[in-house]
Amino acid sequence: MLRCIASNHPVLKIKVFRSPDNLAGLRSLWQSLAAERSSTVFQDFDLNLAAAEIFAGREEPFVVCAEASYGAAIVPAVIRRSDGLLRLLGEELFDYRAFLHVGDPEVLLGALAFLAKQGSGLEVVALREADCDCVPDGLPLFPFTVAPAILHTKLSAAEFHRRHERPVRYLRRLRQLGFELRSYHGNHPRLLHAIYWNKAAQDPQSLFRDPLRIEFMLQAALLKPQCFEIFTLERGDKMAAALVTLRDSGVRRLYTVWFEPEMSKLSPGMSLICEIARQSLAAGLDCDLMTGEQPFKLRLANSSVALYKLKATARQLAALAGAAQPALRLAG
C-alpha cells in the first residue's frame, strides 16, 4: 500500500492489485462504485475477475484502488505483456470500458497519478460519452465510433414491426420451413461453443478464431447465466441463426450474431435480430446494437451513444502525475 497525503484532505490510501487472486478483496468496493455510476455489464466485477484470470498470460493485472473519506476510485488497468502498454481489463472482448469513481475528482487523479509511475502509455477503447465526464484534463479523448440503439420510449414494438417488413416475411418463411425460435440462458456451454466456433469458421477476421476468447465467453456465461440470453432459430439439430445478448438494467445488448451461410437468401441473422428487437421493445427494454456503424444497425436504430478512445502517451501520463503535485504528496 502507498499513502498519498493531500494538502487539504485526509489521507488518500492507494492499493495496487497485481494478481487475480488478490482482486477478490476488491469485490465489495468495486460493486459499490459500479452501482453508483449505473455501469454496464462490462464493469461487472465477476466478469472482470474472469478476464483477469483467463487472459493473465497476455495482460498482467495492475488494478489501482484509491480511497479516502472524500471519495473512492478504481482504475481496472492491465499491462499488456507484448508491449508494456497500459489498458483496462477485458482483452478485446469488452465493448465499453470505464474508470470506477465517486466523490472528489482528486481521488481518481491520485489513482491515475500512481499509474503513471509505470512509465507506459495508456489506451482505453472505448468509453461511452457518459463515462468521459470523470476523465481528467490532460488525458486526450478522440472520437471512436458510435453504438446505435433502439429506444423503446421513441418507438413501439408495433411500429418497429411495420417498418421492417422484409425480415418479418423472411422469419415467417423460416417458420414455414420448420425453424423455431428458441431461447436459452448462459448455462448452455455446448450451445455457446457451437455458436462461437461457427462464427470463427465463417469469418477469417473474427476475434473468436482465438480459442482462449471462446473459453472466456463460456466461463463468463456460466458465471452470469441470467445475464446471457441466447436466441436461436432451430429445426431439429440444424441451426439457421443465433444471437447472444447481454442483459443490463432496462436494456438488452446484442453482442454476437451468427447465421448459416447456406440460408443467406432468407437473412436468418437479420430476421432473428429484428424479432428479438421487437420483443425487447414490447417488454419495455431498449436494444443496444453495440459498437460500430454497420449499415444494418443504422437502419434499425433510432438513437446512438457516442464512443471515445483514450490514448495517452507515457509523457502525458507523467504530466498528469505532475499536475497532481503539490496537491498530492507521496509518502511511504
Side-chain angles (χ1 to χ4, degrees):
M1 178 191 297
L2 196 66
R3 296 179 182 272
C4 301
I5 305 176
S7 56
N8 297 316
H9 287 301
V11 171
L12 174 64
K13 298 179 180 179
I14 292 182
K15 294 182 180 179
V16 182
F17 298 80
R18 303 292 302 262
S19 75
D21 289 342
N22 292 337
L23 274 176
L26 199 51
R27 176 185 294 273
S28 179
L29 178 61
W30 185 303
Q31 292 176 332
S32 174
L33 296 183
E36 284 280 346
R37 292 195 60 84
S38 299
S39 299
T40 74
V41 63
F42 299 108
Q43 280 75 59
D44 178 86
F45 176 80
D46 290 311
L47 297 187
N48 278 267
L49 180 58
E53 292 170 343
I54 291 173
F55 297 115
R58 301 176 183 180
E59 300 182 330
E60 177 188 358
F62 196 87
V63 178
V64 181
C65 171
E67 290 185 87
S69 60
Y70 48 93
I74 296 173
V75 179
V78 293
I79 303 171
R80 189 162 63 187
R81 295 184 187 277
S82 63
D83 59 6
L85 184 68
L86 290 163
R87 308 208 303 165
L88 298 192
L89 282 163
E91 211 253 349
E92 304 301 329
L93 300 182
F94 286 10
D95 281 50
Y96 310 140
R97 322 280 174 138
F99 304 135
L100 302 175
H101 169 240
V102 294
D104 195 308
E106 193 172 272
V107 181
L108 177 59
L109 186 63
L112 289 166
F114 185 81
L115 193 68
K117 293 167 64 67
Q118 288 301 297
S120 301
L122 172 65
E123 181 175 287
V124 181
V125 182
L127 293 110
R128 299 184 304 161
E129 191 166 20
D131 292 319
C132 293
D133 59 355
C134 67
V135 175
D137 292 340
L139 293 185
L141 290 168
F142 304 93
F144 179 58
T145 185
V146 301
I150 313 168
L151 304 185
H152 77 279
T153 55
K154 294 185 177 182
L155 186 66
S156 70
E159 179 60 25
F160 179 84
H161 191 268
R162 285 192 291 270
R163 290 185 184 185
H164 303 287
E165 294 180 353
R166 182 177 293 180
V168 172
R169 290 199 306 270
Y170 286 152
L171 182 60
R172 187 181 305 120
R173 177 60 177 150
L174 286 161
R175 282 172 165 159
Q176 290 170 350
L177 292 173
F179 287 93
E180 298 179 351
L181 176 61
R182 298 178 185 172
S183 62
Y184 306 85
H185 285 292
N187 53 350
H188 286 79
R190 289 185 180 180
L191 173 62
L192 270 174
H193 186 275
I195 292 168
Y196 283 107
W197 189 92
N198 289 334
K199 181 78 173 175
Q202 180 179 328
D203 180 7
Q205 303 302 316
S206 172
L207 290 174
F208 297 104
R209 293 182 74 85
D210 181 342
L212 198 58
R213 291 173 182 154
I214 296 179
E215 177 62 23
F216 172 80
M217 296 304 298
L218 303 187
Q219 293 299 321
L222 288 172
L223 282 170
K224 297 287 180 179
Q226 298 304 309
C227 173
F228 280 72
E229 296 178 317
I230 308 158
F231 301 93
T232 63
L233 288 170
E234 294 181 66
R235 183 183 64 195
D237 60 358
K238 183 175 179 61
M239 190 159 54
L243 178 64
V244 179
T245 72
L246 305 174
R247 275 293 298 273
D248 263 334
S249 178
V251 59
R252 178 173 278 143
R253 305 191 191 279
L254 279 56
Y255 186 74
T256 304
V257 63
W258 168 85
F259 67 92
E260 170 55 61
E262 293 178 359
M263 304 194 69
S264 60
K265 289 184 178 180
L266 293 176
S267 298
M270 178 59 74
S271 300
L272 184 56
I273 287 173
C274 286
E275 175 57 16
I276 299 310
R278 184 196 67 78
Q279 291 186 15
S280 301
L281 296 176
L285 296 172
D286 295 333
C287 274
D288 179 3
L289 301 175
M290 307 298 289
T291 304
E293 299 178 83
Q294 294 91 331
F296 84 88
K297 294 183 180 182
L298 299 180
R299 288 197 301 270
L300 299 178
N302 61 11
S303 182
S304 65
V305 173
L307 301 178
Y308 293 85
K309 180 176 183 177
L310 188 160
K311 192 170 185 179
T313 64
R315 180 174 294 182
Q316 287 169 323
L317 275 180
L320 183 72
Q325 307 292 342
L328 296 175
R329 147 174 117 257
L330 298 181

